Amino acid sequence: MAVKEKINNPGELTELRNITVGSFLVRRFTESTNPELVEVAQRIHAYDYLISGYVSEDAIIDGKLRSEIDTARGDTVTYYLGQECGDDDNKASTIRKKYIAPDGSIEDLSAFGNSIGSLYAGEEDVLRSHISKFGAQSVVEVGALARACGSKSSVSMKLIRTAVHDAVRENPHERWMILFADPAYRSMERFYGPTVARRIGHEAIVSSGKSYINDKLSFIPSVIEPANVLDTLAQEASSPDLDSRTRSKRLQAFKFMSEGAEDIVLGDRAQDLYEQVMAGEQSA
């Protein structure tokens, strides 16, 4: 598999593109390549945040979050919209990635700015060192994971899987910085274990002072390394320290995340487990 060693311009990643895995369709786009789909994604984002209790109705104007709340704009932002083939956008999920501009810095990522006082000792240095070594676009803010009114949680999980694979193919050095709402982080941890989304700080309280934002929410600063997700899951699924039930969960997570990863180069442990999984499915 050919991969880019270093991405120098976020525009290199933002061409309009469709990705299909089985019966699941993902569209990737920016404000320049498909402004109409950006509108769809932003409306889904606003709807989900409203019903989840993150914001009140006053936070939404013309179906979208106020610009002072949702500041991720421009072509450093790449959107993903995923749904089962044949479904309309009312059954879609969305997620987005915000890159640092070539002349920007990590301070341009709100996930970093909102967690700076909560990061564990040394974690800021790790992020800055990674950028210094691999370029500004090697640390990416991932957020706005949201579902439309008719979408299922499985659609969001498939969308995350596709975005992970997409990142590995484009730039194996990419790291995602995410502020998980506490319930979402716990859900990720139960299924994927504690090391796929590695916690890098204490709970962060994002206080805006705006009456239409729920200031009681806490967020968990985390980092995901897409290129290591399958290797990490394979290691956990093979760990003798886990009970059989937890090991089974990790194997289930590995099987799920490996679907559509046929062209991705894996580490030895993940490759061995992948071949075992494929052999088991073929003989079933």
Side-chain angles (χ1 to χ4, degrees):
M1 176 188 68
V3 293
K4 297 178 182 178
E5 285 301 308
K6 192 171 181 179
I7 304 300
N8 294 310
N9 187 328
E12 294 180 42
L13 299 177
T14 56
E15 77 278 6
L16 178 64
R17 185 156 86 102
N18 290 347
I19 307 164
T20 304
V21 179
S23 63
F24 193 68
L25 170 67
V26 174
R27 289 169 286 179
R28 188 180 79 176
F29 48 92
T30 66
E31 292 176 15
S32 293
T33 58
N34 199 320
E36 293 81 11
L37 280 183
V38 169
E39 286 269 336
V40 172
Q42 290 175 347
R43 289 176 182 275
I44 292 173
H45 181 197
Y47 166 81
D48 195 315
Y49 275 37
L50 176 63
I51 65 168
S52 297
Y54 298 164
V55 299
S56 70
E57 291 184 0
D58 291 337
I60 299 173
I61 298 177
D62 295 331
K64 299 181 290 184
L65 292 173
R66 290 172 177 262
S67 58
E68 61 264 33
I69 300 173
D70 188 15
T71 59
R73 293 290 185 271
D75 280 345
T76 57
V77 182
T78 297
Y79 296 81
Y80 292 80
L81 195 68
Q83 61 218 93
E84 297 295 339
C85 293
D87 282 350
D88 59 32
D89 292 337
N90 287 326
K91 295 182 179 179
S93 287
T94 184
I95 196 171
R96 73 184 179 206
K97 297 163 67 174
K98 178 175 173 57
Y99 293 88
I100 300 171
D103 59 348
S105 69
I106 194 171
E107 282 79 6
D108 298 334
L109 304 181
S110 60
F112 177 80
N114 287 327
S115 61
I116 187 63
S118 303
L119 296 179
Y120 296 147
E123 292 293 351
E124 180 180 350
D125 291 339
V126 170
L127 291 168
R128 291 187 183 278
S129 176
H130 192 76
I131 289 173
S132 178
K133 185 174 182 180
F134 298 112
Q137 280 73 57
S138 63
V139 173
V140 181
E141 176 182 310
V142 173
L145 177 64
R147 293 189 283 153
C149 58
S151 181
K152 299 177 181 179
S153 59
S154 59
V155 175
S156 292
M157 292 180 69
K158 290 179 180 179
L159 180 59
I160 293 171
R161 177 181 66 192
T162 303
V164 166
H165 294 173
D166 202 36
V168 178
R169 294 184 182 105
E170 296 282 7
N171 182 3
H173 304 302
E174 187 170 293
R175 288 186 179 180
W176 294 358
M177 187 170 187
I178 306 174
L179 281 184
F180 281 106
D182 187 76
Y185 182 81
R186 302 302 171 195
S187 178
M188 284 280 294
E189 190 176 42
R190 282 194 298 272
F191 187 61
Y192 294 106
T195 53
V196 168
R198 184 175 65 84
R199 182 170 178 164
I200 62 170
H202 306 285
E203 289 187 11
I205 306 296
V206 181
S207 180
S208 67
K210 306 290 186 182
S211 61
Y212 42 77
I213 298 177
N214 185 348
D215 282 344
K216 296 180 180 179
L217 294 172
S218 61
F219 297 88
I220 308 296
S222 306
V223 164
I224 292 177
E225 299 180 26
N228 292 332
V229 166
L230 284 169
D231 288 340
T232 300
L233 287 172
Q235 183 173 352
E236 291 213 2
S238 307
S239 173
D241 299 327
L242 296 181
D243 59 71
S244 58
R245 182 180 178 184
T246 304
R247 191 179 301 113
S248 178
K249 279 187 178 181
R250 300 295 178 268
L251 181 58
Q252 181 184 359
F254 179 87
K255 288 180 179 179
F256 175 79
M257 288 300 298
S258 64
E259 185 177 348
E262 295 84 1
D263 63 328
I264 291 175
V265 176
L266 304 175
D268 291 343
R269 191 189 298 267
Q271 185 64 42
D272 289 345
L273 185 57
Y274 180 79
E275 291 173 359
Q276 292 174 32
V277 168
M278 291 300 102
E281 290 183 354
Q282 292 170 6
S283 63

